[in-house]
Amino acid sequence: LFNQRQLEIIDLLQTEDKVSVSELTQRFGVSLVTVRQDLKKLEDQGVLKRTHGGAIPVDNGYDTSTRMWNNYEQKLRIAQRAASMVSDGETVIVETGSTCSLLARELASKRGVTVITNSVFLCNFVRRCPALDVVLLGGSFQHDAEANVGPLTKLGLAQFSVDKCFIGADAISEDKGVSTINLFRAEVARAMALGARVLTGADLAVSVTGLAGPDGDDRGNPVGTVFAALAAPEGVFVRQLLLGGDRAQIRALSAHHALDMARRYLTHQM
């Protein structure tokens, strides 16, 4: 979607109150016309607001459209990695959030993929992707998250059986696993996970196939296949393991491995 020059402008606006056309022209060694075209494209995508001679960041508080551009390149790598797990023709649940919305846009390049979501923001974000089938669940509208939650959302989810479920995360803990700061969103996320063959998240992916029995399921899928993923500026590191135990134990173990990857990365061991 964005070239490297436009990505650098996004990064600049994370720390600067304003960027000027003349400064950007000197920085990138391109013409004024090129810089103005870059700023127009970024404005059309909601990244910034053009001003006389430059641009300023869009300030919508801490809503999804603002968070989208924080660590954008890292989020995009996560979305691309998650999209690689989806095959043509699959039906998937994608929860609300900036990274999840980027994932939905990545899925638009596949054939016959259907996305079931509670995110009004996501629907608007992929409105120019006609190849992607999107089902929006009803419910009580949360203005800040731009998402539907509540009993009606969970009732709608109960009507579907999907291949995979992608859920965003506000935090990850070795003891508690993946968590969110919003109670109503957490309830919807749990309902989403119940209807999915494979549960995935922004930081890790956990297969829940065959957890009811010790030998896997009737399709030959092994119990407790875990993909622990760490997103870093250099790329996304993935560790695949087979873990035994019940759902709670597998969640705890997968969180442990994700945190171990983070520790190794921070101490330059990977």
Side-chain angles (χ1 to χ4, degrees):
L1 179 62
F2 300 123
N3 60 39
Q4 187 58 41
R5 187 175 57 251
Q6 292 159 356
L7 289 172
E8 288 190 35
I9 294 174
I10 292 174
D11 287 340
L12 282 173
L13 287 172
Q14 302 303 311
T15 56
E16 302 292 335
D17 294 331
K18 181 179 180 180
V19 293
S20 71
V21 173
S22 59
E23 289 173 351
L24 294 175
T25 299
Q26 295 176 2
R27 181 186 184 94
F28 299 122
V30 296
S31 68
L32 292 172
V33 173
T34 299
V35 169
R36 291 192 181 105
Q37 289 174 342
D38 286 341
L39 296 181
K40 183 180 186 305
K41 180 176 181 178
L42 293 170
E43 184 178 49
D44 291 342
Q45 293 295 323
V47 181
L48 53 78
K49 179 180 180 181
R50 286 188 295 168
T51 61
H52 180 70
I56 58 175
V58 173
D59 184 9
N60 293 322
Y62 199 62
D63 63 9
T64 307
S65 61
T66 300
R67 289 185 289 109
M68 174 69 71
W69 314 114
N70 295 335
N71 302 310
Y72 174 80
E73 291 184 79
Q74 291 88 340
K75 290 179 179 180
L76 183 59
R77 291 192 187 101
I78 295 171
Q80 290 169 341
R81 170 60 184 164
S84 71
M85 300 177 182
V86 179
S87 302
D88 292 345
E90 284 193 315
T91 298
V92 299
I93 290 175
V94 181
E95 201 226 354
T96 186
S98 55
T99 308
C100 287
S101 297
L102 288 172
L103 166 60
R105 190 180 66 191
E106 292 295 316
L107 294 177
S109 63
K110 297 181 180 290
R111 295 181 180 179
V113 171
T114 298
V115 170
I116 299 169
T117 185
N118 65 324
S119 174
V120 177
F121 177 88
L122 183 154
C123 292
N124 186 56
F125 190 69
V126 298
R127 66 188 183 278
R128 294 191 178 92
C129 303
L132 187 67
D133 291 330
V134 181
V135 177
L136 177 62
L137 299 164
S140 300
F141 181 67
Q142 285 192 330
H143 292 269
D144 290 343
E146 297 182 65
N148 295 328
V149 296
L152 287 177
T153 310
K154 292 190 286 185
L155 182 64
L157 282 166
Q159 312 307 309
F160 298 96
S161 178
V162 302
D163 299 299
K164 296 180 178 72
C165 175
F166 295 88
I167 296 174
D170 292 329
I172 181 170
S173 162
E174 186 170 352
D175 297 327
K176 301 295 185 181
V178 175
S179 61
T180 177
I181 61 174
N182 187 283
L183 174 62
F184 298 106
R185 180 181 163 190
E187 290 179 344
V188 170
R190 290 192 192 100
M192 288 177 167
L194 288 175
R197 189 173 67 83
V198 178
L199 169 67
T200 67
D203 298 293
L204 51 87
V206 181
S207 171
V208 295
T209 301
L211 284 183
D215 301 318
D217 63 12
D218 56 6
R219 299 177 183 175
N221 294 309
V223 175
T225 301
V226 172
F227 296 90
L230 169 70
E234 297 86 350
V236 178
F237 302 94
V238 179
R239 181 186 295 174
Q240 182 174 355
L241 312 104
L242 285 176
L243 301 177
D246 59 22
R247 290 172 185 267
Q249 291 171 324
I250 288 178
R251 278 197 298 268
L253 286 170
S254 59
H256 169 78
H257 282 283
L259 289 171
D260 179 65
M261 292 176 71
R263 293 189 192 101
R264 288 177 177 272
Y265 174 78
L266 292 172
T267 56
H268 308 288
Q269 297 179 37
M270 63 178 298

